[in-house]
């Protein structure tokens, strides 16, 4: 009986104390600021526009604008000038960006540490490519990845590979950069980005005066390409072959050699816009759209399902998408 009485007394005392706490408690002020808001501001700064920031974050432009408006209403001040391109941040916006630059790296590092603890592995990432121009954007992405995952052995499978997915099946590569998804392949395809392919001609070439080039415009030209099978060339596969156009051919391994041949009037070429933009800025050659709606290509990262489950694989894909979107001209995230 004594023990039961003591137990009842303790329960009443606890209930009384909790009621006092509740009666005397003051409502705390909840900040609307979240990690996603900080990421939005960083994306806006890094991409230079609401449209590109929304693409990078995979949000609608209205959703991104709503996030910014929520913060501006909470703090009673604009975060950036709406009419400036790129956006000019106000003092309030700059203060939040300083917070984002300090906090987000710590959040990302903590998430990577947790992934390491859970997976309990370091591993390796051997990359095979079928794209001659991929190294322009792949190397910066690899450098960024090494800083975040120094324990992962990162390497490129040497040489050009017309069938990089085959290397996955052979265990000779962990990741393949490819231009098409293949539903028959038992691998995972991770979308990277889409891009426009432009025809390249000499500045004084008669075709430079046309608004765009059709299949028939290539018929009497020498087409300069990389030494790869026709099925790997978007221009041939999507435009020339369906039209029955088979121009004379010349091949070269190097992009710069291809552009020199084009500039000297030895032929025409077709390359991703992002791969030749700096040559176009210097007016070295002239670029024209292919077809009235343009010609586009896509790139994917392919990996075996077991490799896809590794935390660092997903991070590599994310780093690559973000790095390319910020540095390459005219690409669209898939």
């Amino acid at each position: 009986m004594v023990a039961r009485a003591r137990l009842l007394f303790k329960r009443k005392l606890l209930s009384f104390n909790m009621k006092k706490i509740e009666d005397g408690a003051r409502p705390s002020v909840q900040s609307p600021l979240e990690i996603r808001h900080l990421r939005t501001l960083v994306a806006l700064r890094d991409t230079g526009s609401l449209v590109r920031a929304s693409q990078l974050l995979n949000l609608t432009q209205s959703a991104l604008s709503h996030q910014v408006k929520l913060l501006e209403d909470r703090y009673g001040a604009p975060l950036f000038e709406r009419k400036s391109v790129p956006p000019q941040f106000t003092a309030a916006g700059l203060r939040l960006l300083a917070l984002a630059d300090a906090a987000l790296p710590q959040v990302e590092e903590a998430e990577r540490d947790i992934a390491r603890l859970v997976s309990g592995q370091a591993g390796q990432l051997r990359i095979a490519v079928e794209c001659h121009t991929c190294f322009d954007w792949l190397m910066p992405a690899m450098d960024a990845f090494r800083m975040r995952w120094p324990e992962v052995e990162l390497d490129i499978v040497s040489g050009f590979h017309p069938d990089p997915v085959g290397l996955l099946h052979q265990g000779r590569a962990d990741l393949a950069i490819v231009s098409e998804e293949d539903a028959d392949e038992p691998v995972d395809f991770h979308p990277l980005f889409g891009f426009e392919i432009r025809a390249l001609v000499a500045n004084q070439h008669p075709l430079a005066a046309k608004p765009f080039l059709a299949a028939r415009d290539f018929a009497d030209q020498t087409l300069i390409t990389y030494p790869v099978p026709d099925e790997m060339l978007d221009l041939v596969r999507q435009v020339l072959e369906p039209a029955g156009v088979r121009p004379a051919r010349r091949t070269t391994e190097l992009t710069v050699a291809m552009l020199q041949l084009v500039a000297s009037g030895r032929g025409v070429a077709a390359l991703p816009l992002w791969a030749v933009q700096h040559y176009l800025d210097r007016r070295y050659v002239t670029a024209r759209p292919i077809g009235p709606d343009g010609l586009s290509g896509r790139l994917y990262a392919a990996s075996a399902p077991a490799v896809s489950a590794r935390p660092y694989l997903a991070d590599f894909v994310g780093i690559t998408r973000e790095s390319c979107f910020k540095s390459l001209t005219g690409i669209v995230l898939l």
Side-chain angles (χ1 to χ4, degrees), residues 12 17 69 115 136 141 187-188 239 244 248 261 333:
K12 288 182 179 180
N17 289 335
K69 185 67 166 56
D136 292 342
V187 298
D188 296 327
V239 179
L261 290 170
L333 294 179

Side-chain angles (χ1 to χ4, degrees), residues 115-133:
R116 293 184 183 101
L117 291 170
V118 172
S119 64
Q121 61 180 353
Q124 62 180 357
L125 193 57
R126 297 163 298 170
I127 304 171
V129 299
E130 68 172 21
C131 168
H132 279 75
T133 54

Side-chain angles (χ1 to χ4, degrees), residues 124 126 166-174:
Q124 62 180 357
R126 297 163 298 170
L167 299 181
L168 301 180
H169 299 317
Q170 299 168 24
R172 296 168 55 194
D174 305 294

Side-chain angles (χ1 to χ4, degrees), residues 291-329:
D293 300 319
L295 175 64
S296 63
R298 295 186 169 196
L299 286 175
Y300 301 85
S303 62
V307 177
S308 300
R310 299 173 188 172
Y312 58 79
L313 188 283
D315 203 30
F316 180 81
V317 172
I319 289 171
T320 300
R321 285 165 54 87
E322 182 175 348
S323 172
C324 292
F325 189 74
K326 291 178 181 179
S327 62
L328 301 182
T329 301

Side-chain angles (χ1 to χ4, degrees), residues 255-257 259-260 275-285:
T255 303
V256 64
L259 291 170
Q260 287 174 346
V276 297
Q277 186 60 58
H278 58 292
Y279 292 96
L280 300 179
D281 292 340
R282 292 162 42 202
R283 300 182 184 277
Y284 190 65
V285 294

Side-chain angles (χ1 to χ4, degrees), residues 27-215:
S28 60
V29 178
Q30 296 293 325
S31 171
L33 194 60
E34 301 176 14
I35 291 175
R36 63 191 178 103
H37 297 142
L38 298 180
R39 286 181 172 140
T40 291
L41 294 177
V42 169
L44 182 58
R45 177 192 62 191
D46 292 349
T47 61
S49 73
L50 282 169
V51 173
R52 286 180 58 78
S54 63
Q55 293 175 0
L56 178 60
L57 297 172
N58 197 27
L59 293 171
T60 64
Q61 189 174 343
S62 60
L64 190 145
S65 298
H66 178 74
Q67 285 188 24
V68 175
K69 185 67 166 56
L70 175 69
L71 295 179
E72 291 180 330
D73 290 345
R74 169 64 178 84
Y75 297 120
L79 299 182
F80 62 92
E81 298 295 335
R82 292 295 195 276
K83 296 182 179 180
S84 62
V85 179
Q88 298 297 313
F89 286 86
T90 63
L94 290 173
R95 182 62 186 88
L96 290 178
L97 279 174
L99 173 63
D101 289 336
L104 289 181
Q106 295 187 47
V107 171
E108 293 166 356
E109 183 178 0
E111 290 176 337
R112 289 193 298 273
D113 287 342
I114 292 171
R116 293 184 183 101
L117 291 170
V118 172
S119 64
Q121 61 180 353
Q124 62 180 357
L125 193 57
R126 297 163 298 170
I127 304 171
V129 299
E130 68 172 21
C131 168
H132 279 75
T133 54
C134 287
F135 294 102
D136 292 342
W137 54 261
L138 184 58
M139 300 307 291
M142 292 176 66
D143 290 340
F145 178 83
R146 283 192 183 95
M147 295 181 63
R148 294 171 63 161
W149 294 87
E151 70 277 23
V152 175
E153 183 181 347
L154 191 62
D155 196 10
I156 293 180
V157 181
S158 61
F160 169 75
H161 303 282
D163 181 24
V165 173
L167 299 181
L168 301 180
H169 299 317
Q170 299 168 24
R172 296 168 55 194
D174 305 294
L175 187 89
I177 306 299
V178 298
S179 57
E180 287 187 300
E181 292 181 288
D182 187 344
D184 295 329
E185 288 285 358
V187 298
D188 296 327
F189 290 92
H190 314 278
L192 294 178
F193 56 86
F195 53 91
E196 184 182 3
I197 300 168
R198 291 278 184 94
L200 304 172
V201 301
N203 292 330
Q204 296 77 29
H205 198 291
L207 293 177
K210 302 195 66 171
F212 64 86
L213 302 192

Side-chain angles (χ1 to χ4, degrees), residues 11-21:
R11 287 179 176 174
K12 288 182 179 180
L13 181 61
L14 178 60
S15 177
F16 174 75
N17 289 335
M18 289 298 295
K19 189 173 186 306
K20 285 180 64 178
I21 292 173

